Amino acid sequence: MKKEERASISIMKIICISIILILISGIGVMAVNTKLNDVKIILQNGYEMTALTSKTKVSEILEENNILLEENQKTIPDLESEITAGGSIKITDKSYQEVQIAKISEEGVETSLNQLLENYAPITEKIVVEQVVIPYETITKKATEASGDTTNKVLQQGKDGLKEVTYKIKYQKEVEIEKNLLSEVVIQEPVNKIVQVQKKETAKETSRAGTPRTTTTTSYSGGKWSYSASEFDLLCAITAQECSSSYAGSLAVITTACNRAQARGTDPLTEYKRKGQFCYTIDSHWKKRLNGNYASSVSQAVTDALNGARNHNYRSFRAGGTHAGVNIGGNVYF
């Protein structure tokens, strides 16, 4: 091979290598000049991920990360928005109106106007006051002394009560879509019907030792209960354990038992002893309050309640802070 030909081939090699080097350096420069942004993507379930991307359009960033939206989902900001470094994309549900508009747009312009009018019909609010009858209850009481065959004697006739209930009602196209209770005011308390039952005793119940078994003797007349001294002491001890911070607090506790008793045809002490309801069956702390170990305000509250005094209409309560309701003496009644 001639010397000139070898020199020409060497020059061609140098040129080719130079071109390759220029291309490689150009690609490197392009890679260096491409700016990557970190964008936070928050999925609907709360999961957060950070994406490193050169894209700036929301839809392109989601596509790059293989994230597909469902029909009822949208992004904040919207898919056509541009986002900068450090920004975030949140995926959430579309509103009811957005879903409806999307459906309408698919069905065509002709039906769009009608359906838009349906969806955006004006909503009106009205305050409605209703009078509601409070039905009386029938309470059966056993006579303290039985004589003759079983007989029923009406001690007190029942009478329905009346309350005024106020609602805020929302209407759309004259159809009720929401109804909220605002207040209830008792205009007239119901009077329970009280029936006395008398039975002839055939034999005295005895214990295993052969001695007569004692039972709780409670008399009820004219809306008032009467107990023996030991039973009254027990009522006060349980009441004090539930709340002895004030007269009102103690009265609220015994009132709860009285309200339950009147509804069930029993008596307050029976309600106090009902399993899992008051402290009597839950723990034994009330025992330390027996034999008068309670404030005079407690005994006065129990006395007043047994004689008809009430300071609420509720049948349940919990310790303050554990339930929504009316707070009386540290307990919340509902």
Side-chain angles (χ1 to χ4, degrees), residues 242 272 274-286:
E242 294 287 1
Y272 268 173
R274 199 177 288 276
K275 187 176 180 180
Q277 298 300 303
F278 294 88
C279 64
Y280 181 83
T281 62
I282 297 174
D283 54 52
S284 59
H285 299 311
W286 55 270

Side-chain angles (χ1 to χ4, degrees), residues 141-147 196-198 201 217-220 226:
K141 293 295 178 182
K142 292 182 180 180
T144 54
E145 294 182 2
S147 61
Q196 185 183 65
V197 178
Q198 292 182 334
E201 294 182 352
T217 56
T218 305
S219 62
Y220 182 84
S226 296

